[in-house]
Amino acid sequence: MGNKSFGIRVVATATAAGVVTLAAVVGILLSVARHADLDAEAHERTQVVHGLIGAMREKEDWIAGQADWDDALLNLGVAFNPDWARANVGQYFSNLGHFERAYVLDADNRPVYAMSDGVDVAPSQFEGARSAVAPLIRKIRAAEVRRPPIVGAAPYRKVLSKPIQASAFGSINGVPYLITASLVQNDFGKVRLQGRAPILIAGEAMNGDFARLMADRFLLKDLHVHTVDNSPENEGQTSFVLTDAGAPIGRLDWTGHRPGLGLLSRVLPPVISGLFLLLALTVSLLLRGRRAARALVASEARARHMAFHDHLTGLPNRAMFNDRVAEALDSTRRNGGRVGVMAIDLDRFKLVNDTYGHGAGDQLILSVAARLTGLCPAGDSVVRVGGDEFVILCREASAARLAHLARRIVERMAEPVDLPFGRVFVGASVGISLVEETGVDGAEALRQADLAMYRAKEGGRGRYCFFEPDMDTAMKARRQLEADLREALNSDGLTMVYQPQMNGQGRMTGVEALVRWDHPESGPIAPSYFVPIAEEGGLISQLGVYTFRKAFLDSRRWPQLRVAVNVSAVQIRAVDFPDLLAGLLKETGADPHRIELEITEGILLADDEQTQETFRRLRAMGFSLALDDFGTGYSSLSYLRRYPVDKIKIDRSFVNNLGVEKEAEAVVGAIVRLAQALNLRVIAEGVETESQREGLRRAGCTDIQGYLFSRPVEPAGISRLLEAAEPRPLAALAS
Ligand code: C2E
Ligand code: MG
Ligand code: MG
C-alpha cells in the first residue's frame, strides 16, 4: 500500500471517527440542553403556581385589614350603611387594592352592595359571580360556626380573632378572577353583633394588568392570560388556572426560558474546535506512527536481508544457501529430479588479495560475482559462502547440464579481469555434487562439492570435477599426508635430488634441485602432489627453507655448475623472501651468482610493484631468474620485458609434441627467437629422446634437461657425473 493511499485512509477513518464523536457529543449536549430546558420549564411552572397562590395570600392579608374591623361590622352588619360601603369597600378596594369587583353579602348571603370596575352597580349583578363564589361562602360560614365566641373584649384591646377567609380562582361572566371572600369580624370588640356576620367579596380580574404584574415579579417573558375558550395555540409555556373543583377557567401562556440553548451556543463552538484539534492530532499521530512503523519494518527487512546476504556482493550467503538447498532437496524428495551443488574456488584470489590489498580483493570478488551471475540460468542461485568461495545451487540438475555450466565457468574465469590497478588472471576450480539420494542433506552436498573442487585443483587448477565417493578417502589421505609432511620436515625426512642441464656441446652446465619425499609407508611421493599440500597447509616457507638450505649447501660441491632452485608462488609473495635468502647465503656460504631461481609463469599476475621489487632485489643480490614451464601460463611479451628474468624454460609439453604435431617445432622456434631477441638464455626441459633433441636443435634450442641425459639424482650422483663427464659419450650417462 502506498504512503499516499494510507494517508487518505487515515484521514478518512479519522474524519469518520471525528464525525461520529462530534455527533455523539452534540447529541449529549442537545440532550443536556433539552433537560435543562425541561427543568427550567418545570421550575417556571412551579413559580407561576406559587406566584398565583402568593398573590392570593397577599390579597387576603390586604383585605383582612378591612374585614377585621369594628367599623365594618358596625356599618355592614349591625346596620347596612351604603355610603360607608361605597367609600370603604367599593372605592377603597378599587383604588387601593386594584380590585375590579367587590361585593358585600348580608347574614343571609344576599348581595347588599356591588362594585364593578370602580363604580357602584346593582347588587343583583352579584349573580354573575355567585356560582364562582358559592364554595367560598360555604367555607366561610362553616368557619364562622366553628369560631370560638369572642370573650373578654374590652375597648382598645384587640380581640383575638383570626381572619376567616377563603380564596379561589373562579370565572365571573366568563373572565377568570382571583376571588377572596372574608368574614367581617371585630378587631377591638367595640361592637357586638348577634347572629351571622356579613361577608366581603373581592375579585381581581386576571387580565393584562395582572399578567404584567406577574411577569415583572417572576421575570416571565410574554405572559398572557387567556380564557379557556378563546385561547390560541401556544408554542411556549402554559399553566392552566383551575377552580377548586379542578375546572379550567383560564390559561397563562408565556415564552419559557431555554437555558439549554444558551448552554449549547456557549459550549458547542469550543467543543467543536476542540474536536477538530483532536482529530488533527490523531491524524498526525497516526501518520507519524505509520512512518515509525514503516521505518521499523524497513530496518527489520534490512537486518533480515543482511542476515541472509553477503554484504559485499549482495548475493545470498551461507545461511540463505542452507535454506534454499533444504527447500530444493525437499522438493526433490517429493517430486523427483536432482539437485546440483557447485563449489567454485578462485585459484589465485589470495595472491591478489595479499599483493594489492583487500580493496583490490573486494573488486575482484565483485567482478567474479557478476560473471557467475551472468552465466547462471534464472532458476539457479549464486551464493558467496566465504572469501573467494562461491556456490551455485542448481535445481532440476543433470550431469550434462552441470558439466556444461562448469565448463563455461572455468572458461569465463580464465579470462583476464580488468581492475583499476591492472589486469589479473584468476582462474577457478569447480567441484560438483549431483544429489539424487534422499539421505544427502545440504551440508553433505556442499562437503562433496568441496571435495570435488579440491580434486579439480589438484588436477592442475582451472578445471571442474564431479564428486565421487572415493574422494572422501582421498581427502582423508590428503589430511594425513599433510600431517606426515609436517613430521617429515621436522625430522629431516626429505631429500634433494639434482637433474643435470646440458649445453649444446654436451657439457653439464647446471643442475635443477628437486625435492624428494620418501614416505615411510606410501613410498616416494611426487613434489607436484605434496608441494601444493604444503602451500595450502602453511608449510611452504618451512619447505622452502629446507630446499634452499640444502641446495645452497650442495652448490658449494660443484663450483663449475649453476644450481636452479624452484620457488613456490606463495613464497615469492612473502615480503621478507629476499631477506630469508640473504640469511641462508650467509649461513651456507653459497655464491648467489651460481644460484638460479625458477619461478613458474603464473606468478606474474599483473603489473605488480612488489613482485617487481622482489625480483630487482634478488638480482641485485646476484641471483639469476628463470621462468619455468614457459608457455603454459599467461606470460606476454610485456611481462618478459617488465620482469628482469635471465632465462626461460620451455615447458615439457612443447618438447613432447616435437615430432607429433607439425607446428610444434615452429612454436619452439618462435619461443627461441623471442628469447634471443630479448637477450635471454633458453633451455628445454623434459627431453627424453634423441629425436626431440634433434627437433630442438633445429629450432635453435641447444640447452636441454631431461631423462635423455639423466634423471634427477642424489648429490653424489652429480659429483660422479662431473668426474666421469668428458670425454665419455653423452648417451652412456643416462641412468
Ligand atoms: P619443474 O620445476 O618443471 O621440474 C621439472 C620436473 O620434470 C621434475 O619433476 C622432473 O623430475 C621432471 N622431468 C625432468 N626431466 C623429465 C623428462 O625427461 N621426462 C619427464 N616425464 N619428466 C621429466 P618433479 O621432480 O616431480 O617436480 C615436479 C614439479 O615440482 C617441479 O616442476 C616443480 O615445479 C616442483 N618442485 C620440485 N621440487 C621442488 C622444490 O624443491 N621446491 C618447489 N617449490 N617446487 C618443487
Ligand atoms: Mg623447475
Ligand atoms: Mg618445469
Side-chain angles (χ1 to χ4, degrees):
M1 182 178 53
N3 228 352
K4 202 169 162 191
S5 73
F6 174 80
I8 292 169
R9 264 182 41 176
V10 163
V11 172
T13 312
T15 307
V19 166
V20 170
T21 313
L22 186 67
V25 169
V26 168
I28 290 168
L29 284 175
L30 279 176
S31 155
V32 167
R34 176 90 195 107
H35 276 92
D37 287 351
L38 288 176
D39 285 352
E41 280 176 12
H43 178 69
E44 281 180 350
R45 270 199 303 276
T46 314
Q47 251 187 339
V48 166
V49 171
H50 284 232
L52 289 175
I53 292 168
M56 221 175 235
R57 296 292 161 253
E58 279 170 22
K59 295 291 171 192
E60 283 177 355
D61 287 349
W62 191 84
I63 295 167
Q66 289 299 96
D68 293 359
W69 186 17
D70 288 349
D71 265 15
L73 200 61
L74 178 72
N75 290 292
L76 299 176
V78 177
F80 179 71
N81 178 353
D83 293 331
W84 194 93
R86 184 184 307 116
N88 294 289
V89 177
Q91 291 309 306
Y92 187 74
F93 275 32
S94 168
N95 294 335
L96 296 167
H98 304 292
F99 290 98
E100 280 78 12
R101 303 283 166 131
Y103 306 100
V104 178
L105 305 183
D106 66 7
D108 299 320
N109 300 336
R110 282 183 308 234
V112 288
Y113 173 78
M115 180 277 288
S116 177
D117 295 322
V119 294
D120 289 357
V121 293
S124 62
Q125 286 208 8
F126 171 70
E127 292 315 315
R130 183 177 284 282
S131 66
V133 176
L136 304 179
I137 296 171
R138 273 197 298 280
K139 277 187 195 167
I140 293 224
R141 291 295 176 211
E144 187 181 22
V145 173
R146 286 197 305 273
R147 181 179 58 181
I150 298 163
V151 286
Y156 313 111
R157 209 175 115 214
K158 190 148 171 53
V159 293
L160 298 171
S161 66
K162 275 203 292 196
I164 292 177
Q165 293 177 303
S167 298
F169 299 106
S171 175
I172 300 174
N173 297 329
V175 177
Y177 270 79
L178 198 168
I179 307 168
T180 300
S182 310
L183 188 70
V184 179
Q185 299 188 98
N186 283 105
D187 57 349
F188 287 97
K190 288 187 278 187
V191 184
R192 289 287 168 181
L193 179 71
Q194 296 306 314
R196 301 204 300 191
I199 293 173
L200 285 183
I201 309 280
E204 184 178 9
M206 297 171 78
N207 54 14
D209 288 344
F210 177 86
R212 265 189 298 283
L213 224 70
M214 287 283 287
D216 289 350
R217 183 181 274 193
F218 297 107
L219 305 172
L220 300 173
K221 221 168 120 194
D222 305 329
L223 184 72
H224 289 96
V225 185
H226 304 281
T227 55
V228 183
D229 24 294
N230 76 352
S231 56
E233 280 296 307
N234 176 44
E235 302 246 302
Q237 285 270 59
T238 288
S239 189
F240 283 95
V241 181
L242 303 176
T243 63
D244 279 358
I249 50 159
R251 213 186 63 200
L252 296 175
D253 287 349
W254 71 96
T255 306
H257 282 120
R258 314 247 345 237
L261 203 66
L263 181 83
L264 272 188
S265 64
R266 273 194 306 276
V267 169
L268 263 187
V271 164
I272 289 174
S273 2
L275 269 177
F276 272 113
L277 213 70
L278 205 70
L279 186 81
L281 208 71
T282 310
V283 168
S284 111
L285 278 178
L286 275 174
L287 289 176
R288 207 178 294 176
R290 165 76 178 179
R291 267 200 298 279
R294 283 173 77 94
L296 202 70
V297 166
S299 83
E300 231 180 76
R302 245 196 326 275
R304 208 174 314 125
H305 186 268
M306 278 166 77
F308 286 98
H309 290 83
D310 171 47
H311 295 203
L312 175 63
T313 58
L315 289 176
N317 64 9
R318 190 182 287 271
M320 176 76 109
F321 169 77
N322 289 340
D323 275 8
R324 288 199 178 164
V325 77
E327 220 171 76
L329 288 171
D330 201 43
S331 143
T332 306
R333 271 190 279 280
R334 278 184 279 113
N335 312 320
R338 290 182 289 181
V339 170
V341 172
M342 222 179 247
I344 300 152
D345 189 78
L346 304 185
D347 290 335
R348 280 175 288 271
F349 170 72
K350 200 168 159 6
L351 186 62
V352 173
N353 214 31
D354 292 353
T355 310
Y356 299 104
H358 292 290
D362 284 356
Q363 277 175 345
L364 180 58
I365 288 294
L366 279 171
S367 95
V368 165
R371 281 186 182 186
L372 289 178
T373 313
L375 286 172
C376 277
D380 296 352
S381 311
V382 179
V383 181
R384 186 181 178 212
V385 291
D388 64 338
E389 294 167 57
F390 291 86
V391 169
I392 296 177
L393 172 66
C394 306
R395 296 172 184 83
E396 292 163 26
S398 70
R401 182 162 101 75
L402 292 174
H404 176 71
L405 179 59
R407 200 176 308 119
R408 289 189 62 204
I409 289 172
V410 167
E411 283 167 10
R412 184 84 175 89
M413 290 309 184
E415 293 169 19
V417 182
D418 284 314
L419 296 174
F421 51 82
R423 174 172 275 208
V424 295
F425 294 92
V426 188
S429 302
V430 180
I432 309 163
S433 164
L434 185 57
V435 184
E436 44 195 330
E437 322 158 29
T438 48
V440 175
D441 63 7
E444 173 61 14
L446 188 56
R447 195 187 68 85
Q448 291 182 356
D450 273 341
L451 280 182
M453 186 265 291
Y454 283 121
R455 175 63 61 88
K457 274 201 166 184
E458 278 167 28
R461 301 177 183 236
R463 291 161 185 257
Y464 68 89
C465 190
F466 276 88
F467 170 77
E468 279 156 28
D470 76 299
M471 287 178 184
D472 265 337
T473 29
M475 178 46 86
K476 282 194 196 106
R478 195 183 157 94
R479 291 265 152 72
Q480 184 58 49
L481 213 62
E482 199 179 302
D484 294 349
L485 180 60
R486 186 171 279 115
E487 172 65 24
L489 278 165
N490 290 335
S491 59
D492 206 15
L494 303 177
T495 51
M496 290 307 274
V497 291
Y498 297 87
Q499 186 176 31
Q501 296 176 336
M502 320 297 283
N503 68 6
Q505 289 78 47
R507 267 191 49 210
M508 196 198 302
T509 52
V511 287
E512 179 178 6
L514 296 158
V515 68
R516 291 290 175 263
W517 180 22
D518 196 7
H519 191 275
E521 285 154 30
S522 314
I525 296 174
S528 50
Y529 188 67
F530 71 81
V531 169
I533 293 179
E535 283 176 342
E536 272 161 32
L539 296 171
I540 193 64
S541 64
Q542 215 182 329
L543 179 70
V545 167
Y546 171 82
T547 54
F548 284 118
R549 182 179 283 131
K550 270 279 195 191
F552 284 9
L553 282 172
D554 287 337
S555 73
R556 295 183 58 190
R557 297 164 69 166
W558 316 302
Q560 67 275 49
L561 296 183
R562 179 182 287 117
V563 176
V565 190
N566 291 284
V567 183
S568 154
V570 177
Q571 270 183 293
I572 204 126
R573 288 201 308 268
V575 190
D576 60 352
F577 180 62
D579 303 326
L580 176 91
L581 291 193
L584 286 171
L585 283 179
K586 212 167 156 196
E587 178 194 320
T588 57
D591 175 9
H593 294 95
R594 288 197 297 106
I595 306 288
E596 189 171 70
L597 302 175
E598 283 193 13
I599 297 141
T600 48
E601 251 187 321
I603 293 174
L604 305 182
L605 267 175
D607 194 1
D608 172 355
E609 274 295 323
Q610 202 211 307
T611 311
Q612 282 198 42
E613 173 59 20
T614 301
F615 277 32
R616 267 195 296 275
R617 281 187 65 193
L618 292 172
R619 287 190 88 210
M621 285 162 74
F623 293 108
S624 56
L625 301 174
L627 211 51
D628 204 353
D629 307 332
F630 188 84
T632 57
Y634 299 101
S635 290
S636 67
L637 192 58
S638 67
Y639 291 155
L640 284 179
R641 296 181 63 177
R642 200 171 304 135
Y643 289 97
V645 292
D646 305 280
K647 179 175 178 179
I648 54 181
K649 290 186 84 174
I650 301 174
D651 190 66
R652 195 164 74 232
S653 56
F654 296 103
V655 177
N656 275 345
N657 285 338
L658 285 174
V660 180
E661 276 180 14
K662 267 203 288 181
E663 303 81 19
E665 221 176 284
V667 171
V668 172
I671 295 175
V672 172
R673 278 193 300 281
L674 174 69
Q676 284 166 350
L678 292 171
N679 208 16
L680 304 176
R681 285 180 285 122
V682 62
I683 185 170
E685 63 181 342
V687 184
E688 294 182 355
T689 63
E690 220 21 86
S691 74
Q692 286 170 349
R693 189 172 76 134
E694 262 315 303
L696 287 165
R697 195 198 299 279
R698 276 198 302 277
C701 176
T702 48
D703 284 20
I704 45 185
Q705 174 186 345
Y707 293 172
L708 178 62
F709 304 106
S710 172
R711 287 182 177 259
V713 295
E714 289 180 1
I718 295 295
S719 301
R720 273 198 302 277
L721 282 172
L722 283 172
E723 283 163 21
E726 294 149 65
R728 292 171 66 193
L730 288 171
L733 291 171
S735 58

